[in-house]
Amino acid sequence: MNNAPPKTLLLVDGSSYLYRAFHAMPDLRAIPGDPGSAPTGAIRGMINMLQSLRKEVPAQYAACVFDAKGPTFRDDLYPQYKAHRSPMPDDLRAVSAALCAPDAAADEDALYGALLRELLAVLESFATGGFAAILPQWTARHAFQDAAVNLLSDFAPPRAGICRGADHDGALLLETDGRIERVLSGEVSLRAA
């Protein structure tokens, strides 16, 4: 008799996660400010959501599944399935196609090289100018700017307020009761309120 505890398989509705992330994240691009470059916000948001889920739901196995392209058995069972939904936005369609393409083989070395070059440039800016040197780029990508948030930290009770960005030294700026509080902590988590 096998007394080992049962193993858990976590299945994630990838299409739903991608759609939610697309609408929750700002318009992030591979080349910031260039509307013609590849949209990256949905992928970034989806990765963050998946990482959070993996922390919250312990599972030995996990898989992310996506809707099949075109009609499915649901359409046969219920012809009005998804009839009320608006068409998928073009940027989301491009991201979805890139994620779901079965023959899309990424050149991992080229990807790692590009990521390392970008990281090196940011680290060099940070080394010479501190957080203030990268604050404009950080602010442009900050999803919670001027939004109601809940702040979670290992070192303080949960707090709610309006996120006002970050200060020149990297302190998170949280407005509560009309006052700006500087939050300096190594590990904080912001959630939409």
Side-chain angles (χ1 to χ4, degrees), residues 118-182:
E118 290 297 317
L119 179 59
L120 181 60
V122 171
L123 290 174
E124 286 174 348
S125 289
F126 184 79
T128 58
F131 186 76
I134 62 171
L135 180 58
Q137 294 88 348
W138 185 89
T139 301
R141 291 170 177 81
H142 179 41
F144 290 113
Q145 185 70 38
D146 299 323
V149 296
N150 292 316
L151 185 138
L152 308 172
S153 171
D154 290 337
F155 306 107
R159 290 169 279 181
I162 306 294
C163 183
R164 297 299 184 197
D167 209 345
H168 68 280
D169 61 355
L172 183 69
L173 302 175
L174 183 69
E175 181 181 334
T176 55
D177 299 323
R179 295 179 318 123
I180 302 291
E181 176 186 356
R182 290 171 35 87

Side-chain angles (χ1 to χ4, degrees), residues 21-111:
F22 177 79
H23 289 287
M25 295 293 290
D27 185 25
L28 303 178
R29 299 284 168 166
I31 301 170
D34 179 358
S37 71
T40 59
I43 292 173
R44 184 178 194 174
M46 185 173 175
I47 289 170
N48 289 342
M49 291 165 60
L50 289 170
Q51 287 175 331
S52 292
L53 182 65
R54 288 302 307 257
K55 288 178 186 174
E56 294 169 13
V57 180
Q60 290 75 28
Y61 308 102
C64 188
V65 293
F66 291 87
D67 291 343
K69 185 176 182 179
T72 68
F73 71 93
R74 292 179 190 99
D75 297 284
D76 294 335
L77 293 173
Y78 183 64
Q80 295 302 314
Y81 178 68
K82 294 188 179 181
H84 65 284
R85 295 187 188 173
S86 56
M88 182 183 286
D90 290 339
D91 281 348
L92 181 57
R93 185 176 309 284
V95 171
S96 180
L99 285 176
C100 298
D103 59 345
D107 180 349
E108 291 181 16
D109 291 336
L111 175 61

